[in-house]
Amino acid sequence: MDIIKQHIEFLYPEQLNETLSAIAKLVEEYSDLIEKKDFLLSKEDVILIAYADSFIQGDEPNLTSLKKVCSTHLKSMINTIHILPFYPFTSDDGFSVVDYKEVNPEFGTWKEVLELNQEFQLMFDAVINHISKSSDWFQGFLSGDKNYDQFFIEANPNHPDLHRVTRPRTLPLLHPFLKQGQEKYIWTTFSEDQIDLNYENPQVFLRVLEVLLFYISKGAKFIRLDAIAFMWKKLGTTCIHLDETHEIIIAYRKIIEQIAPQVVLITETNVPHPENISYFGDGLNEAHMIYNFSLPPLLAYSLHAREVDTLSNWAQSLKLPSDKTCFFNFTASHDGIGVRPLQGIVSDEQISMLANKAECHGGFVSYKSNPDGSKTPYELNCNYMDLLSSPEESIAYRAKRFMLTQAVMLSFNGVPGVYYHSVFGSENDVEAVKASGINRRINRAKIQVDDLNRELEGKSSLRYRVYSEYKKLLELRQQEDAFHPFSQALFSNKDALFIIERKSESESVYCLFNFSDKAINIESHTSNKVNMTYWKPVETQLEPYAYLWLKSV
């Protein structure tokens, strides 16, 4: 345990020896349950993001339906499935977990998870900043069970330093609960049903470590650390990105590497870009991958503004601390499209322009509270397709603009994550928002498998147009060494033409993207190159919102 001693001493100096002893015991216990493999990422790594119940077919377990859809339609396109929280929960569509170690019986059992893992690599969510108020952990805390003493954070709602705490929501930071008959205010960063864990207590650190090791023993190759930036609270600070939070992630990684070096830790921190990349650490000690949160809103901005100078300058500034780290690239997810990651890249007016586009196209805007009492946009709640174009525009136009952004995302170095509503060309589910009052439901619709199969048979449908082109791109991408996650990417632009050159030892791939509504002359970019995207003609001009992937001869 010498490898983690300094980190545990920093976090828990008074409980150092007993904490190290407990960690050693967990490592010994799980070493026999986990097969040790080498760390490996490859060009084949493409991750589908979906809920356990994203696809519905009759009365069969949702996880079985998920496997059927992926095996039938996506097997040649993806090799990994990120199953969003599939544990028992009470709110936030899974992100208020009641029991970390159980499968929600409505979705299936661990048997169905294992069956999925036999065909695909898996990514699990570790929702470890908070837990449901209905969990045994919190109920034990309220009842005075010594096993859960100091598992949660009590605070005085009148404390003068609370106003400094970073707020990702407009809801109260503290909520009152009855603890052994007395009213106590408990820390709730995200909602009244999501109770923050108290990592100042080493027992919380240990219980969560055991959860992570349990997930690995159940087949998790990738682990998403949800809302990780808020883990440690210290009055008088912003309570985000504290040194203790980074030390916890480093400690967890070093412990996991002892028995499962193949596991990839991904941090989810929807914050401005400089803060986001801090979770790479020194490139060898913290997150293996981080969500590239600036990419989705920046692509949307570039398309609406018809300029790529901003995108190109930002992309050229991207630096990785080692050749063992990379970005997790995506354009859509179960959450909204965060706009805080645009801060410092575009102006507030340009962010407002994007927010206006979302609302004009049927979406919504969620806000965060600021220390001065004001509110600013936090995320756009809108299907990515609908953010890019109006639902009134033609299917061909919508598909073209959408697939331009997807092709860009797939061309960035790193590992791509594809949301299930993106690969199947879905649109806003406004009725779900009206029925629930939850803005994020606009992009979380459940898909009936029979309806999906029928729509994919209609070659003029939006679903088919998007799915068929995505299929070609992903199958092509997996054949090229230049798309290895750690291979080099060079970015440039000329007017509204954005260019990415992907390089490996054996080849170079040139990716051209037209973000304007006018054709662009590309003759100088096509000499001595062959067209990889065979379904698109190579001429002297690149049509509006078109793209090409070319390879040197």
Side-chain angles (χ1 to χ4, degrees), residues 80 90 229 335 364 498:
T80 305
T90 47
D335 285 341
F364 304 88
F498 182 52

Side-chain angles (χ1 to χ4, degrees), residues 153-156 159-165 173-174 187 200 232-239 242:
I153 304 164
E154 300 178 29
N156 180 351
H159 197 290
D161 284 338
L162 286 178
H163 78 281
R164 298 188 59 185
V165 176
L173 175 64
L174 307 177
W187 203 291
E200 284 194 38
W232 197 279
K233 284 76 175 176
K234 186 186 296 181
L235 287 174
T237 74
T238 59
C239 297
L242 298 188

Side-chain angles (χ1 to χ4, degrees), residues 35 185 264 273 302 312 314 421 499 510 538:
E35 182 182 358
Y185 278 83
V264 179
H273 186 73
S302 302
S312 181
W314 169 79
H421 278 311
I499 305 164
Y510 297 84
V538 175

Side-chain angles (χ1 to χ4, degrees), residues 453-477:
N453 292 337
R454 185 167 53 253
E455 287 183 84
L456 291 180
E457 289 172 2
K459 296 194 175 183
S460 61
S461 72
L462 182 59
R463 281 209 193 282
Y464 176 81
R465 282 175 181 262
V466 170
Y467 165 74
S468 60
E469 192 162 343
Y470 234 128
K471 188 172 190 290
K472 292 171 185 173
L473 278 173
L474 286 173
E475 290 177 346
L476 176 60
R477 190 183 186 281

